[in-house]
């Protein structure tokens, strides 16, 4: 199962690819109002909306990540451009 995106992750990904709420909502097939409510955590994101947003972000090669911990809690969540060499490891800068 894919983790649901948080409002912070949605906002950060949208900023990284340079889309307005209106543009992202249109590309994802949802209203700008719904997207704004997801981003502000005024409404919990649905699995359907999560999938739509992830498809758009994948088109822009955005990758969501978290620390690899043994429990189901997501620690250190973030995002990045999908690397050209994904198995090269991570360098902290």
């Amino acid at each position: 199962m894919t983790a649901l995106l948080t409002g912070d992750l949605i906002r950060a990904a949208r900023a990284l690819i340079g889309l307005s709420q209106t543009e992202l909502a249109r590309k994802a097939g949802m209203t700008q109002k719904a997207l704004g409510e997801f981003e502000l955590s005024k409404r919990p994101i649905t699995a359907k909306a999560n999938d739509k947003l992830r498809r758009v972000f994948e088109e822009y090669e955005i990758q969501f990540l978290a620390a690899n911990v043994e429990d189901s809690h997501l620690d250190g969540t973030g995002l990045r451009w999908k690397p050209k060499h994904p198995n090269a490891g991570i360098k902290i800068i």
Side-chain angles (χ1 to χ4, degrees):
M1 179 180 169
T2 303
L4 295 177
L5 296 172
T6 65
D8 291 340
L9 287 173
I10 296 168
R11 265 193 323 279
R14 184 171 60 78
L16 188 61
I17 60 179
L19 293 179
S20 68
Q21 278 188 348
T22 302
E23 292 168 322
L24 177 57
R26 182 182 50 76
K27 288 180 178 288
M30 63 180 63
T31 66
Q32 182 274 325
K33 181 180 182 205
L35 177 59
E37 290 175 350
F38 295 145
E39 285 190 1
L40 295 174
S41 299
K42 289 185 176 181
R43 179 198 303 189
I45 191 165
T46 63
K48 184 176 179 179
N50 189 70
D51 290 344
K52 288 179 176 184
L53 288 169
R54 281 183 174 275
R55 277 195 291 274
V56 173
F57 293 140
E58 285 173 9
E59 288 176 21
Y60 285 89
E61 297 189 346
I62 298 295
Q63 187 175 53
F64 297 94
L65 47 116
N68 191 12
V69 293
E70 292 187 20
D71 62 15
S72 62
H73 174 74
L74 296 178
D75 187 33
T77 57
L79 59 118
R80 65 180 181 179
W81 296 112
K82 188 175 180 180
K84 290 182 172 59
H85 307 285
N87 297 322
I90 300 222
K91 182 178 186 175
I92 305 299
I93 57 171

